Amino acid sequence: MSAAPQLSKSRDLPLRTKLLICFLAVTVVGGALTIVAGSFVITDMAIGEAQRRVEVGLKTARSTLQQRADEAERTASILADWAARQPDLYANGVASEYLEKLREKCGLDLLHVVDADGTVTATARGNARGLNILGDVVVGAALREGRASWAFTTMSGRQLSAESAELASQAYVKVVETERAKPGGLNELREALVIQAAAPIIRPPGRVVGAVRAAVLLTRNYELVDYIRDNVFTMSTYDHKNLGTVTIFLRDVRIATNVAGPTGERAIGTRVSAEVNDKVLGRGETWVGPAYVVGNWYVSAYEPLRDTRNTVIGILYVGVLKDRYDDMRSRAMGFFLLCTAIALIAAFVVGTWLAGRLARPLDELTGAAVQIARGNLEHRLPEPARADHDELKKLTVAFNAMAASLQQRDEELRRSHQDLAETADELKRWNQSYLDTVEFITHELKNQVAAMKINLLAVRDGYVGELEPDQREALDDVVVAVNRTEEMILNYLNLSRLEKGDLEVRVRPVQVEVDVVRPVLRELKARFDEKQMQLEVALPEDLVVQADPSLLQIVYENLLSNAAKYGRENGLVRVWGERVNGWAELHVWNEGQGVAADQADELFRKFSRLQPPGEQERGTGLGLFITREIVRKHGGDIRAESEAGQWIDFVFRLPRPDVVLGEEEQLDETIG
């Protein structure tokens, strides 16, 4: 007896184990996660490596410019020291040939010697002699402060023309319309970006007798940007394009670059993209990341170039072609997809085999479930020989037990349903009788109370004889009680109509102020006068809603009666409305105790009465419930907004006929 369970355990494989094997075989989720994770990792590695490369390249470019500036400053200082030892420097002059050789040897574009007044006394090319350049910030600093310095500055075409027409021509750049550039800007540049250095000529005992100026034009200085590119990226290309590029900008215009334009030439005159413009030129920050560069995406680094006043006058750029890293990522993703496809094929084979093992019993269970669903509760599955560990066999046994239990409960439910149906019919008859009785009683009471009210008013107002003041005051109290009773009767009558479904809504265009509000205010005027309340009506004359005018009067009667009951004596009551998004939004607002925010929704519950402390007014708790039901039957909604102790505002929305008609016309056009 003890060997049978052990044998069954060895033969039966739990369904959980089978599903585990299947899930391990099916690698869809694992493959998808691998692809997603691999994409993120590869992208981070590739783009991150490119960004690190351009950051290093930007440092190299910056160092190269610094080196060129230091060389210019060193040349100016050496020449200034030599000139300081010449006793007749300005009497005999400095030979232009000597300065020209020195300029060419040091790779300079400008080399000047000036006197203490800032007038050029010698120049490498000879054309600027006699020009006063004291206003130049770098030369001025050397003459006034007696120190050598350098800076990025701009020189106009007129200043360059005084030295050489060739330099003025080099400075001219025609600005080219560029995709993704910031709108506006100049059409041409007639000034050059230069690295300018100056050193003072000092003679004992420390007297500044002049200065030496040396400058290198960065505009069209292809040798410089190519030198930086070759040092950072060598001459590598990708897809017939330069892998790495270097650019110097004057403001947002490329003035020296090895970025290729659409025709394959250097993209001189093209402009930087708008987003880079805003960050680097606008805010003076460094940009590192992908950027659009003349028709291609580059992983880029941009750094502002500043003049002596710390104003951004240009940009230094280093970038590497993003296509290369995108292609690297695509190849890696292709490999991941191939691995995933192989895994999916294996999963399909294993899944097909496993499905064959599971399909037959599951089909039997499905068919049996269909029979049970169709009402054949007597249907049963063949009982398995043993079901110790196989979940499907256990499920078969449980299914048969469930079917038997369902059959038993179905019979009990049929009997219970029959009893409930009989009870429901009886309750329906009792409810109908109750509603008919309420309607009859309230209708009869309404007529009797109306007759009592007429006679009571006749007595109170002296039509049947003069009254003493005490008698009139007593009758006033009776009139108040009769009005309250009449209001209660109307509320119960409307409630019975709502409960029975007899409240019909006959909508038509209704002018809110003329057709509804004015008649209601005439009826309630005495109640507002009694509490000396001020009424303000601010309804547009052309505000029209699609509503049943008699039912809408009930809405305003209930809301304004509430304002008269619970509003503050000598307080303000405002009735106003406006058009909001195809609806008419109507307000009844009054000063008073109001309600707390968490109690606002309680106001509209049946028989709900939130009596403020000290208030003597009482009601049925039906007015606002009936108001909400009427508004809803019109397709609108109502809410209460309040500041406890200050005010309350009832806001409800109703459709406007112009909007309803417009929608119907659009529907007719669509159907037509």
Side-chain angles (χ1 to χ4, degrees):
M1 294 296 292
S2 61
Q6 184 66 31
L7 182 61
S8 175
K9 180 182 288 188
S10 63
R11 286 203 306 260
D12 291 341
L13 186 64
L15 182 59
R16 180 177 56 186
T17 305
K18 298 173 186 176
L19 290 175
L20 180 59
I21 295 173
C22 182
F23 290 152
L24 289 176
V26 178
T27 58
V28 175
V29 175
L33 291 175
T34 300
I35 291 172
V36 173
S39 176
F40 278 113
V41 171
I42 292 170
T43 300
D44 183 66
M45 291 177 62
I47 301 301
E49 175 62 27
Q51 289 182 353
R52 287 189 291 272
R53 188 171 184 181
V54 297
E55 287 176 352
V56 172
L58 186 63
K59 291 180 180 178
T60 302
R62 187 190 316 125
S63 298
T64 302
L65 291 182
Q66 176 74 43
Q67 181 181 354
R68 295 293 290 139
D70 291 342
E71 290 175 355
E73 182 180 335
R74 187 163 50 252
T75 300
S77 298
I78 292 172
L79 184 56
D81 289 342
W82 174 83
R85 295 191 295 270
Q86 305 301 314
D88 299 325
L89 176 65
Y90 296 109
N92 301 324
V94 179
S96 295
E97 294 81 2
Y98 172 74
L99 292 180
E100 179 64 18
K101 290 180 181 179
L102 184 60
R103 182 191 70 81
E104 290 181 353
K105 181 178 180 181
C106 296
L108 301 172
D109 292 297
L110 290 173
L111 187 58
H112 292 157
V113 178
V114 301
D115 60 17
D117 296 327
T119 301
V120 177
T121 61
T123 176
R125 300 186 178 185
N127 294 335
R129 184 175 294 133
L131 181 69
N132 188 281
I133 58 174
L134 183 62
D136 185 271
V137 291
V138 180
V139 174
L143 292 174
R144 288 190 299 271
E145 301 173 16
R147 62 178 179 85
S149 63
W150 70 270
F152 292 108
T153 63
T154 58
M155 297 185 69
S156 67
R158 183 183 60 81
Q159 292 173 309
L160 294 170
S161 296
E163 178 68 23
S164 166
E166 179 185 348
L167 291 178
S169 175
Q170 182 178 341
Y172 176 79
V173 174
K174 176 70 174 177
V175 179
V176 179
E177 184 176 350
T178 310
E179 184 181 3
R180 301 175 72 100
K182 197 169 185 177
L186 300 174
N187 295 323
E188 59 183 17
L189 293 178
R190 292 185 177 274
E191 59 181 347
L193 180 65
V194 300
I195 297 174
Q196 186 175 188
I201 301 174
I202 302 175
R203 288 182 177 172
R207 181 168 57 94
V208 178
V209 297
V212 175
R213 175 170 77 166
V216 178
L217 267 68
L218 298 179
T219 302
R220 298 187 187 276
N221 196 332
Y222 305 137
E223 180 182 355
L224 178 60
V225 293
D226 289 347
Y227 173 81
I228 297 172
R229 180 198 61 190
D230 295 345
N231 277 275
V232 176
F233 305 107
T234 68
M235 290 293 291
S236 300
T237 60
Y238 186 79
D239 194 20
H240 307 294
K241 301 172 186 174
N242 288 332
L243 177 62
T245 52
V246 179
T247 299
I248 299 173
F249 292 81
L250 175 55
R251 289 185 283 276
D252 68 338
V253 180
R254 290 178 177 84
I255 58 171
T257 184
N258 36 51
V259 173
T263 61
E265 299 178 351
R266 295 178 189 264
I268 295 297
T270 57
R271 301 171 58 209
V272 77
S273 62
E275 56 269 24
V276 176
N277 189 323
D278 291 337
K279 182 169 185 177
V280 181
L281 288 177
R283 301 194 296 272
E285 301 173 2
T286 298
W287 171 290
V288 178
Y292 191 77
V293 180
V294 193
N296 294 286
W297 282 93
Y298 283 77
V299 180
S300 308
Y302 294 83
E303 180 181 82
L305 298 178
R306 303 175 185 271
D307 61 10
T308 55
R309 292 183 295 273
N310 204 35
T311 301
V312 179
I313 60 173
I315 305 173
L316 178 61
Y317 153 87
V318 174
V320 63
L321 195 64
K322 189 171 178 288
D323 287 350
R324 177 188 180 187
Y325 299 94
D326 290 341
D327 291 345
M328 290 170 57
R329 181 181 59 183
S330 298
R331 288 193 295 270
M333 293 305 300
F335 176 75
F336 283 131
L337 288 172
L338 177 62
C339 294
T340 302
I342 294 173
L344 287 175
I345 294 172
F348 175 77
V349 173
V350 175
T352 302
W353 172 79
L354 188 59
R357 294 287 304 273
L358 300 176
R360 184 180 59 80
L362 289 177
D363 286 343
E364 292 176 353
L365 282 169
T366 302
V370 170
Q371 291 296 323
I372 296 295
R374 290 175 177 174
N376 184 11
L377 299 180
E378 298 178 355
H379 184 81
R380 299 291 185 273
L381 288 170
E383 289 284 344
R386 56 174 67 89
D388 294 335
H389 299 284
D390 192 316
E391 285 83 354
L392 285 176
K393 294 179 180 180
K394 290 182 179 180
L395 182 60
T396 300
V397 174
F399 180 86
N400 287 336
M402 178 195 68
S405 178
L406 284 175
Q407 186 178 9
Q408 179 182 354
R409 293 183 184 180
D410 181 67
E411 294 173 356
E412 295 174 355
L413 286 174
R414 287 179 186 275
R415 290 192 295 269
S416 299
H417 178 73
Q418 185 175 0
D419 295 341
L420 287 174
E422 294 173 357
T423 304
D425 290 340
E426 184 69 20
L427 288 174
K428 186 176 181 181
R429 288 192 296 272
W430 277 98
N431 187 57
Q432 184 64 34
S433 176
Y434 156 74
L435 292 174
D436 292 341
T437 302
V438 170
E439 183 176 9
F440 174 76
I441 292 173
T442 53
H443 190 272
E444 291 301 318
L445 284 175
K446 177 184 176 184
N447 294 334
Q448 297 301 321
V449 170
M452 292 168 58
K453 183 177 179 180
I454 292 173
N455 291 322
L456 179 62
L457 292 175
V459 173
R460 188 197 67 175
D461 295 339
Y463 290 107
V464 296
E466 293 295 328
L467 298 176
E468 296 297 329
D470 292 342
Q471 294 173 326
R472 179 179 295 276
E473 183 177 353
L475 289 177
D476 286 340
D477 293 338
V478 176
V479 168
V480 172
V482 170
N483 285 335
R484 188 180 301 122
T485 303
E486 188 176 34
E487 181 182 335
M488 293 171 62
I489 290 171
L490 287 175
N491 281 335
Y492 279 111
L493 184 59
N494 287 329
L495 176 63
S496 67
R497 293 168 65 194
L498 281 170
E499 297 286 355
K500 292 171 64 178
D502 292 341
L503 192 66
E504 296 184 9
V505 181
R506 298 182 176 89
V507 298
R508 65 176 177 83
V510 177
Q511 190 173 352
V512 178
E513 181 182 10
V514 175
D515 297 339
V516 179
V517 175
R518 287 183 186 175
V520 172
L521 289 178
R522 281 197 296 269
E523 294 292 330
L524 299 177
K525 183 176 184 303
R527 301 183 65 177
F528 289 111
D529 291 343
E530 182 181 350
K531 297 181 71 172
Q532 298 182 353
M533 302 177 79
Q534 180 183 355
L535 279 170
E536 288 186 3
V537 179
L539 288 164
E541 293 184 0
D542 59 347
L543 184 59
V544 179
V545 297
Q546 190 77 355
D548 185 322
S550 60
L551 295 180
L552 192 54
Q553 282 190 6
I554 294 174
V555 171
Y556 271 101
E557 284 173 0
N558 288 334
L559 296 178
L560 289 169
S561 295
N562 268 7
K565 283 182 186 179
Y566 305 115
R568 186 176 297 145
E569 289 193 13
N570 301 314
L572 176 65
V573 178
R574 295 181 61 230
V575 181
W576 59 285
E578 60 182 346
R579 299 176 180 85
V580 179
N581 297 331
W583 296 81
E585 187 171 277
L586 305 168
H587 296 253
V588 177
W589 181 96
N590 68 271
E591 292 181 311
Q593 289 300 317
V595 295
D598 57 351
Q599 295 180 318
D601 291 338
E602 295 291 324
L603 292 171
F604 300 100
R605 292 179 58 187
K606 190 190 299 184
F607 302 118
S608 174
R609 292 180 295 188
L610 302 178
Q611 192 79 7
E615 292 288 347
Q616 301 300 317
E617 294 283 358
R618 294 183 57 83
T620 62
L622 292 174
L624 291 178
F625 169 75
I626 293 170
T627 297
R628 185 187 67 178
E629 295 304 309
I630 291 175
V631 171
R632 286 181 174 179
K633 284 183 177 294
H634 282 80
D637 57 67
I638 186 169
R639 69 183 187 276
E641 300 175 353
S642 177
E643 183 177 343
Q646 298 295 326
W647 54 266
I648 189 168
D649 186 12
F650 290 95
V651 186
F652 62 100
R653 299 195 309 166
L654 294 175
R656 302 203 321 261
D658 54 340
V659 176
V660 173
L661 291 175
E663 292 176 350
E664 291 178 353
E665 290 174 359
Q666 292 178 4
L667 181 60
D668 291 341
E669 292 177 0
T670 303
I671 296 174

